[in-house]
Amino acid sequence: MKKKLLFLTFSSILYSSFAFTQSARLITEELKVLNEIGEKLWLSERNWRNFGKDPCRDEGDWHDFVKCDCSFDSNTTCRVTEIMTSQNVSTVLPSKFAELQYLQILDLSCNYFRASIPSEWATMRLSELSLMENTLFGPFPTILTKITTLRYLSIQGNRFSGPIPKEIANLKSLEKLVLSSNEFTGQLPVALAKLTNLTDLRISDNNFTGKIPNFISQWTQISNLQFQGCSFEGPIPSSISVLTKLEDLRISDLKSGASTFPPLRKMTKLSILVLRNCLIRGPIPRYVGNLRNLQTLDLSFNNLTGEIPSSFSLLRNVDHIYLTKNDLTGPMPQWIFSSIKNVDVSYNHFTWDASGPKICEQGTINVVESYSSSINIQDDIHPCLRKDFPCTKSDTQKIFSLHINCGGAEVNINNTIIYEADTERRGASSYYNAGNWAFSSTGNFLDEDHDFDDYMLSNTSNLYNTHDSDAYTLSNTSELYNTPKCDMELYTTARKAAISLTYYGLCLLNGKYTVKLHFAEIGLTDDNLFNSIGKRVFNVYVQGELKLIDFDIVKEARGVGIGVIKSYTVIVKNNTLKIQLYWAGKGTTGIPMRGSYGPIISAISVDPHFVITRHHRKRLDVGLIVGIVGGVTLVLIIMICLWRKGYNMNRNQPIEVDQMSHTTSFN
């Protein structure tokens, strides 16, 4: 009986609320304001005809984007309290939003708003404002610092520049502040220390200067702190130790100021810990293995020494561990190989013992170049485990050219060049060997909207102006304008990585080569819509030498979907070519979706500067060839004549090198 009475009472409340809402109406003044705003936004493109239609009564186009409070005047009057629209709106921000006096939440993220913030907005009393992923520009909008009621502010992914003003201290109620992926400069102002209610601060991908300030200790309530790719100097201040509520800490790519491991012992709530390329030296503290809530641990690209703490075997909730590119020693712990987790310990100095790996193919465990150079004399250890991946083949087994269609199937260019297939889908902590080449991939995409990572990039937009035929993965299935059909296939796919991607050319003859790296941005668009706002930035190394820093394919190619080739003359001395792409925390991370960042590459071609003989493989510098073209021509004429008379060709005749296509073919 009591349950029946409770059900009837609850039903009566729902009916009364529904009835009140149906009878209540939005006040005329605010309905007029919505109409004026609607005419200026995307709604005007839909033949805006909503005059007199009440969104609080589920009428008109606005009702999908507006929430109302209809409790005014004894439940007869409604006021607009929330507006949320992400519809690729392309215009300036309407000042009329300020006339909605009861508006508390305004979310205009993922549009194409331009210019800056209207001065009229200073009178608003918002609690939440998101202008994330637009094209707003200018200095930090101090207008926003006058909205002192703000608890959440995001202007991530715009083009704001200059220093953060001291007026930021006015926003004392702020709990979440997101400034990532802008062009802010200067040092972090002391005024930020006054935002003691912060629980979430993200300022990655900016151009700040100076050190991470000690005043971060004032943010004792913070649970999410992200300082990736900010150009800060080290070291990480010891004052970070008081931030015991941290659950997500990401700091990367500090410019100078080496230090030992920061004091994080009391941060037992951490689930994501990224301290990548932070110039950290010395041993990994044992307590890191006691941070039992960790799911992602990234300590890669530091100068960590000593052994991996045995306590790491207790990290039962962790999915990804990256200890890549350190100076770790001792034997590899056996828990690594009995784990179903993704573990990357590549590029270290471990000591081999009988229980250690002898091959690199270890599933989700990446151990490439993980042993010290002292094991190079051991014949039973695969070369991939050794420093610089030495070649053990004889000269007659070595290669002198290489072509890879990164992220795609085999491609035959004009029946002269075959780009080998590269369709391995793994990438978080993986190694793949195709025989003449291999790749090592490090990193998973944090904050993705789905549960799996795809390292094969695909695209549905057009590519154009891609003239050169040398071209986890991207693919494009649509038409490429002004591009020969044979070339299209090279630029319709790409391999991507979250942190680092290294390609190896294996057992190449020593000598001089032309290395061409083929790029095309096929993950973004170029249509003045939200997807075109994204920016991919990464670094490129060839043979350990930094060739491209903050490389932006779109900027270099002057557009999306346009192929660009970077060509380098490289000396191969130890029969191994190494090409590395590295994400240094720069660029947007949420366009077209969260987790969209990291380096990509479409194809690789490697061609010799020398002529090869079949048996002796003598090398002649290409420069010499130019000087003897006349002689070679005469010899060819004589040989053709002899052939016609039945004479045999010399078996040691040089293999022809086609200088136009940069390939080598056998006659």
Side-chain angles (χ1 to χ4, degrees):
M1 181 65 183
K2 288 183 178 180
K3 290 184 178 180
K4 184 175 182 180
L5 180 61
L6 180 61
F7 174 76
L8 291 173
T9 303
F10 182 66
S11 299
S12 298
I13 292 173
L14 285 178
Y15 177 78
S16 299
S17 177
F18 177 76
F20 283 136
T21 302
Q22 289 299 99
S23 61
R25 291 185 174 276
L26 181 62
I27 64 170
T28 303
E29 292 82 355
E30 292 195 1
L31 183 57
K32 181 180 179 181
V33 170
L34 286 182
N35 284 325
E36 291 176 355
I37 293 173
E39 286 187 303
K40 293 181 179 296
L41 302 185
W42 62 274
L43 299 172
S44 62
E45 299 176 6
R46 290 187 172 184
N47 299 317
W48 177 248
R49 295 289 186 273
N50 280 275
F51 296 105
K53 293 184 179 180
D54 189 343
C56 300
R57 296 167 61 88
D58 292 336
E59 299 173 355
D61 290 332
W62 266 116
H63 80 273
D64 289 332
F65 313 108
V66 170
K67 290 187 179 180
C68 305
D69 180 353
C70 295
S71 63
F72 296 91
D73 300 328
S74 300
N75 300 314
T76 62
T77 301
C78 300
R79 297 280 192 163
V80 175
T81 57
E82 298 182 29
I83 295 178
M84 292 175 281
T85 178
S86 301
Q87 300 292 317
N88 279 317
V89 178
S90 180
T91 185
V92 298
L93 290 168
S95 61
K96 288 287 185 178
F97 281 117
E99 296 183 20
L100 300 172
Q101 298 179 15
Y102 289 84
L103 187 62
Q104 297 178 20
I105 299 175
L106 180 58
D107 185 349
L108 302 177
S109 57
C110 303
N111 286 290
Y112 204 80
F113 286 112
R114 53 187 183 272
S116 193
I117 313 298
S119 59
E120 291 84 352
W121 283 25
T123 62
M124 299 177 79
R125 291 295 176 260
L126 298 171
S127 62
E128 299 182 19
L129 174 61
S130 178
L131 299 171
M132 178 178 67
E133 317 295 6
N134 280 279
T135 58
L136 302 169
F137 59 87
F140 187 101
T142 54
I143 294 297
L144 300 181
T145 65
K146 297 181 180 180
I147 310 177
T148 57
T149 52
L150 280 172
R151 291 185 296 106
Y152 166 70
L153 173 61
S154 175
I155 55 175
Q156 171 182 325
N158 282 279
R159 299 171 185 171
F160 293 115
S161 58
I164 298 175
K166 61 182 180 180
E167 288 84 357
I168 194 76
N170 296 337
L171 302 179
K172 292 182 173 60
S173 297
L174 266 186
E175 297 174 12
K176 183 173 182 178
L177 177 61
V178 186
L179 308 178
S180 301
S181 295
N182 279 283
E183 299 170 12
F184 292 122
T185 57
Q187 298 186 4
L188 293 184
V190 178
L192 280 171
K194 296 183 179 181
L195 305 184
T196 56
N197 291 312
L198 280 176
T199 61
D200 192 336
L201 176 64
R202 310 178 198 186
I203 60 173
S204 300
D205 183 29
N206 280 288
N207 299 311
F208 296 115
T209 56
K211 298 182 178 181
I212 298 175
N214 279 309
F215 65 67
I216 65 173
S217 61
Q218 301 300 308
W219 303 327
T220 56
Q221 303 302 310
I222 204 157
S223 62
N224 191 333
L225 184 62
Q226 299 185 21
F227 287 1
Q228 295 194 105
C230 287
S231 302
F232 283 127
E233 299 173 11
I236 299 171
S238 59
S239 59
I240 198 173
S241 63
V242 303
L243 307 184
T244 58
K245 294 185 178 181
L246 274 172
E247 299 176 14
D248 189 337
L249 173 61
R250 308 182 201 183
I251 302 174
S252 80
D253 302 283
L254 300 181
K255 288 191 172 297
S256 62
S259 67
T260 56
F261 204 92
L264 310 179
R265 182 187 299 272
K266 296 181 179 179
M267 298 182 188
T268 57
K269 296 182 179 180
L270 278 173
S271 62
I272 297 177
L273 175 58
V274 176
L275 300 176
R276 183 176 59 252
N277 198 18
C278 289
L279 307 173
I280 303 173
R281 63 173 186 265
I284 303 173
R286 178 180 172 80
Y287 69 75
V288 175
N290 296 325
L291 301 176
R292 305 296 170 80
N293 291 313
L294 277 178
Q295 297 178 12
T296 297
L297 174 62
D298 182 359
L299 304 178
S300 60
F301 294 88
N302 284 293
N303 300 301
L304 296 167
T305 57
E307 298 186 9
I308 298 175
S310 59
S311 59
F312 271 41
S313 63
L314 302 175
L315 293 173
R316 306 194 187 285
N317 293 320
V318 75
D319 296 315
H320 301 90
I321 297 177
Y322 304 111
L323 302 176
T324 315
K325 193 66 172 65
N326 278 286
D327 297 316
L328 297 171
T329 56
M332 289 189 203
Q334 283 306 296
W335 63 263
I336 291 178
F337 304 101
S338 61
S339 171
I340 60 172
K341 309 175 190 307
N342 290 276
V343 181
D344 196 316
V345 292
S346 57
Y347 312 109
N348 277 283
H349 299 281
F350 294 109
T351 303
W352 182 84
D353 64 10
S355 63
K358 293 186 178 181
I359 59 173
C360 285
E361 287 79 0
Q362 300 288 336
T364 60
I365 313 300
N366 190 353
V367 294
V368 69
E369 289 196 62
S370 56
Y371 282 138
S372 70
S373 56
S374 63
I375 70 154
N376 282 0
I377 60 174
Q378 295 182 235
D379 293 334
D380 58 343
I381 303 299
H382 194 280
C384 66
L385 293 164
R386 308 178 190 182
K387 289 299 163 196
D388 298 320
F389 211 139
C391 177
T392 57
K393 295 180 180 180
S394 66
D395 277 358
T396 57
Q397 295 175 305
K398 292 172 183 173
I399 64 172
F400 44 86
S401 67
L402 182 63
H403 301 86
I404 309 168
N405 183 29
C406 304
E410 179 181 294
V411 175
N412 189 327
I413 303 296
N414 294 326
N415 292 319
T416 57
I417 311 174
I418 295 179
Y419 281 77
E420 296 184 44
D422 170 18
T423 55
E424 171 61 40
R425 303 201 72 84
R426 295 178 299 118
S429 54
S430 64
Y431 164 79
Y432 174 76
N433 191 319
N436 292 329
W437 58 272
F439 75 74
S440 171
S441 180
T442 302
N444 62 298
F445 296 96
L446 295 173
D447 306 320
E448 276 196 315
D449 293 322
H450 47 75
D451 295 331
F452 64 91
D453 288 335
D454 189 357
Y455 298 85
M456 315 284 279
L457 193 60
S458 61
N459 176 41
T460 56
S461 61
N462 294 325
L463 299 180
Y464 44 91
N465 297 332
T466 306
H467 299 296
D468 196 298
S469 60
D470 294 339
Y472 228 125
T473 60
L474 287 173
S475 67
N476 170 40
T477 57
S478 59
E479 183 179 2
L480 289 82
Y481 296 110
N482 301 325
T483 305
K485 184 177 180 180
C486 61
D487 296 357
M488 293 182 189
E489 295 182 65
L490 291 179
Y491 292 97
T492 56
T493 62
R495 177 167 295 282
K496 63 178 180 176
I499 299 174
S500 175
L501 175 62
T502 301
Y503 274 94
Y504 294 92
L506 302 177
C507 288
L508 286 160
L509 286 168
N510 289 334
K512 186 184 294 185
Y513 291 84
T514 295
V515 176
K516 290 184 178 182
L517 308 180
H518 306 252
F519 303 97
E521 180 53 75
I522 58 174
L524 303 173
T525 63
D526 194 13
D527 50 11
N528 290 332
L529 297 176
F530 160 66
N531 285 353
S532 67
I533 300 172
K535 184 178 182 181
R536 187 190 308 276
V537 180
F538 56 93
N539 298 340
V540 177
Y541 299 78
V542 179
Q543 296 296 70
E545 181 181 345
L546 180 61
K547 295 294 187 180
L548 298 170
I549 186 168
D550 294 341
F551 178 53
D552 182 341
I553 300 174
V554 175
K555 183 177 180 180
E556 183 76 15
R558 299 184 181 180
V560 168
I562 301 175
V564 60
I565 299 174
K566 307 301 290 186
S567 182
Y568 304 101
T569 299
V570 174
I571 303 296
V572 173
K573 295 181 179 180
N574 297 309
N575 306 116
T576 302
L577 173 68
K578 187 186 296 187
I579 299 162
Q580 183 188 39
L581 315 179
Y582 173 75
W583 181 61
K586 297 285 189 179
T588 56
T589 59
I591 302 174
M593 62 187 68
R594 289 188 298 173
S596 298
Y597 59 89
I600 65 172
I601 186 166
S602 296
I604 297 172
S605 64
V606 181
D607 296 293
H609 273 232
F610 48 83
V611 170
I612 315 298
T613 60
R614 281 183 174 172
H615 295 295
H616 303 297
R617 295 181 178 257
K618 297 177 181 178
R619 276 87 75 196
L620 297 176
D621 190 282
V622 170
L624 295 177
I625 296 175
V626 175
I628 60 173
V629 167
V632 170
T633 303
L634 178 61
V635 170
L636 289 174
I637 293 173
I638 294 173
M639 293 170 72
I640 291 171
C641 292
L642 291 173
W643 176 75
R644 288 181 176 178
K645 294 181 178 182
Y647 288 88
N648 289 327
M649 302 281 284
N650 188 318
R651 289 180 179 268
N652 285 330
Q653 153 188 353
I655 298 169
E656 180 183 354
V657 178
D658 181 353
Q659 295 298 319
M660 295 302 293
S661 63
H662 296 283
T663 69
T664 305
S665 58
F666 291 88
N667 287 332

